[in-house]
């Protein structure tokens, strides 16, 4: 038969604390075994990883769509050519914007990189005049100076246009 422990009275606060800690540890261990919380934690971790994977795949599909849309806006509609371009785009490098969608500037940088590396495959430029809108320069370009222009200038005009005059002189002497 089983041995029964004789009752021992608790006489100090430390003894009481120790017995409470031991009882809590036994009950916690018993509860974890019965509830399977370790299994639930592992399953939760697995589901979190699965959700992160699905979100990443969804974002890559959004980035791919953004690339295809931008190519279409620039007249690239042939499926085979689009697929060749997509092989050279790093979808993982396309940054998200604040709303979580692919950042347009990042999409354009990827296409500009492909254009720089393979101009025969894609002609795509960043900067002024690179969009599908106006091709006119924002500021009018100054026409280059001629020797007659420089000869007609007064001292004050030479001083106010010194950078242009200096560029003219450097070009004329070389």
């Amino acid at each position: 038969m089983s041995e029964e422990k004789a009752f021992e009275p608790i006489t100090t606060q430390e003894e009481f604390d120790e017995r409470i800690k031991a009882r809590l540890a036994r009950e916690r261990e018993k509860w974890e075994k019965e509830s399977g919380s370790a299994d639930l934690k592992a399953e939760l971790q697995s589901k979190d990883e699965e959700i992160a994977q699905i979100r990443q795949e969804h974002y890559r599909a959004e980035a791919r769509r953004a690339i295809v849309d931008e190519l279409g806006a620039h007249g690239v509609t042939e499926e085979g050519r689009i697929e060749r371009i997509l092989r050279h785009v790093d979808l993982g490098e396309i940054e998200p914007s604040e709303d979580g969608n692919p950042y347009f500037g990042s999409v354009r940088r990827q296409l500009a990189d492909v254009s720089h590396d393979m101009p025969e495959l894609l002609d795509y430029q960043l900067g002024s005049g690179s969009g599908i809108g106006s091709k006119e320069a924002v500021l009018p370009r100054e026409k280059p100076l001629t020797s007659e222009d420089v000869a007609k200038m007064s001292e004050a005009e030479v001083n106010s246009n010194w950078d242009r005059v200096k560029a003219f002189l450097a070009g004329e002497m070389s």
Side-chain angles (χ1 to χ4, degrees):
M1 302 212 171
S2 66
E3 282 183 33
E4 288 188 34
K5 280 184 144 184
F7 176 74
E8 295 178 27
I10 299 173
T11 57
T12 65
Q13 183 66 39
E14 291 80 24
E15 194 176 333
F16 176 76
D17 291 345
E18 281 301 314
R19 287 189 185 185
I20 293 294
K21 285 181 187 176
R23 175 70 188 265
L24 284 173
R26 284 193 310 270
E27 290 300 320
R28 191 172 288 126
E29 185 179 322
K30 178 180 165 187
W31 180 81
E32 285 180 355
K33 286 180 183 176
E34 290 174 359
S35 69
S37 66
D39 293 339
L40 290 175
K41 287 179 183 177
E43 188 175 338
L44 181 62
Q45 175 74 20
S46 171
K47 292 297 180 186
D48 285 345
E49 290 170 3
E50 187 178 335
I51 288 170
Q53 178 76 23
I54 290 170
R55 282 186 176 150
Q56 183 180 18
E57 289 172 11
H58 177 72
Y59 180 76
R60 289 178 65 86
E62 288 288 326
R64 186 181 193 285
R65 257 191 304 280
I67 293 282
V68 171
D69 290 347
E70 182 65 9
L71 288 172
H74 284 276
V76 180
T77 56
E78 180 191 336
E79 284 299 315
R81 186 171 171 206
I82 291 172
E83 289 303 318
R84 285 192 311 275
I85 292 169
L86 283 170
R87 277 188 235 133
H88 300 286
V89 171
D90 186 357
L91 295 175
E93 288 294 315
I94 296 178
E95 302 160 4
S97 62
E98 290 178 7
D99 64 0
N101 292 321
Y103 175 58
F104 184 65
S106 188
V107 168
R108 295 187 74 209
R109 275 193 303 276
Q110 282 290 315
L111 290 175
D113 288 347
V114 171
S115 176
H116 180 264
D117 293 343
M118 290 169 276
E120 68 281 356
L121 182 60
L122 178 64
D123 181 24
Y124 191 93
Q125 299 171 357
L126 294 178
S128 174
S130 64
I132 56 176
S134 173
K135 296 294 183 191
E136 293 181 26
V138 176
L139 298 173
R141 294 186 185 234
E142 295 177 334
K143 74 174 195 176
L145 292 175
T146 63
S147 56
E148 293 87 34
D149 293 334
V150 175
K152 290 179 188 175
M153 286 184 176
S154 68
E155 185 177 337
E157 289 175 316
V158 169
N159 288 338
S160 67
N161 292 298
W162 179 243
D163 289 335
R164 289 179 64 206
V165 171
K166 192 164 72 172
F168 166 75
L169 292 174
E172 185 177 73
M173 293 185 189
S174 57

